[in-house]
Amino acid sequence: YILFYFSFFLYSHIYIFIYLVFLFLYIISSLFFFFFFKQKTAYEMLRSLVGSEMCIRDRFLGYGVNPSAGTYRLLHDYPEPARSEILDYMFLPGFGASYHRIKLEIGGDGQGTDGAEASHMRTPDTVNTSRGYAWWLLAEAKHRNPVIETYALAESWPRWVANGSATPPAGPLDLPALAAEYIVTWVAGAKHAHGVDLDWVGLWNEHWA
């Protein structure tokens, strides 16, 4: 009996040892295949990069914000310090939403989904770089995050650009020289009056907007 119990004790420990060895090798091999052969299908946050595009096969580059004219008009009405706190949560890197890109409306005194942004050129020979709220929000965003990507495009046009008196009415794509002048003047106003360089500029958000 003593010999039997001794042999059982000895062999059971051997079996346990072999089992643990195989378990260890299985875990090591699984980790090896996971880290070196896995396909990149998950979003990987790289906070050092700027942008808002997503690529499922590669990595997630950040968030963007696209406020409409009515929303940043209301934001401007918030009393301090609430207004600055909201802007901090929106644009400070690594804090709150931490937006990496902002898209704004180049106003044309027309409906832009949720409110109307004022035009900077209501006539061909007058320019007002303090009218509206898009430039204000753009400068606030750049102040908090100097590397934020900026994008702007028109959603509506004054009549002298769109030639609304024509029959049928013409659009800015029919009058490209006037449309280009209108957009370039807005970009120049952002740079010279508000200290912001635009990264991208579009022409028209929606046809017949």
Side-chain angles (χ1 to χ4, degrees), residues 43 45-47 49-54 60-66 89-91 95-103 145 147-149:
Y43 294 130
M45 174 63 79
L46 298 181
R47 303 196 66 85
L49 297 179
V50 177
S52 64
E53 295 94 345
M54 288 190 222
F60 174 64
L61 299 180
Y63 293 99
V65 59
N66 179 22
Y89 274 108
M90 292 176 66
F91 300 117
F95 181 76
S98 187
Y99 290 124
H100 294 72
R101 176 181 294 175
I102 182 171
K103 174 189 171 186
N145 182 4
V147 297
I148 192 171
E149 295 185 350

Side-chain angles (χ1 to χ4, degrees), residues 21-178:
V21 169
F22 277 101
L23 180 61
F24 175 77
L25 293 176
Y26 172 77
I27 294 174
I28 294 298
S29 61
S30 299
L31 292 175
F32 176 81
F33 279 97
F34 177 78
F35 284 108
F36 290 96
F37 294 99
K38 74 182 182 76
Q39 297 210 359
K40 294 183 179 180
T41 56
Y43 294 130
E44 300 174 21
M45 174 63 79
L46 298 181
R47 303 196 66 85
S48 61
L49 297 179
V50 177
S52 64
E53 295 94 345
M54 288 190 222
C55 182
I56 294 178
R57 295 181 298 103
D58 192 5
R59 55 186 176 267
F60 174 64
L61 299 180
Y63 293 99
V65 59
N66 179 22
S68 64
T71 55
Y72 44 78
R73 171 66 181 87
L74 294 175
L75 176 58
H76 187 273
D77 283 347
Y78 271 76
E80 293 291 357
R83 183 173 65 187
S84 293
E85 291 173 352
I86 294 172
L87 291 167
D88 289 345
Y89 274 108
M90 292 176 66
F91 300 117
L92 281 180
F95 181 76
S98 187
Y99 290 124
H100 294 72
R101 176 181 294 175
I102 182 171
K103 174 189 171 186
L104 291 168
E105 175 185 345
I106 299 175
D109 289 327
Q111 176 59 253
T113 305
D114 183 16
E117 173 69 0
S119 171
H120 61 288
M121 291 181 71
R122 288 175 174 161
T123 62
D125 53 357
T126 60
V127 178
N128 188 327
T129 57
S130 61
R131 190 183 291 143
Y133 299 90
W135 280 322
W136 165 78
L137 185 59
L138 191 63
E140 293 290 337
K142 271 289 189 181
H143 172 71
R144 287 164 173 80
N145 182 4
V147 297
I148 192 171
E149 295 185 350
T150 54
Y151 172 46
L153 82 170
E155 295 197 19
S156 63
W157 305 81
R159 289 175 66 87
W160 67 269
V161 177
N163 194 16
S165 60
T167 304
L173 301 183
D174 300 311
L175 303 167
L178 295 181

Side-chain angles (χ1 to χ4, degrees), residues 4-14:
F4 172 76
Y5 283 116
F6 176 77
S7 60
F8 176 79
F9 177 79
L10 178 62
Y11 284 113
S12 64
H13 280 66
I14 292 175

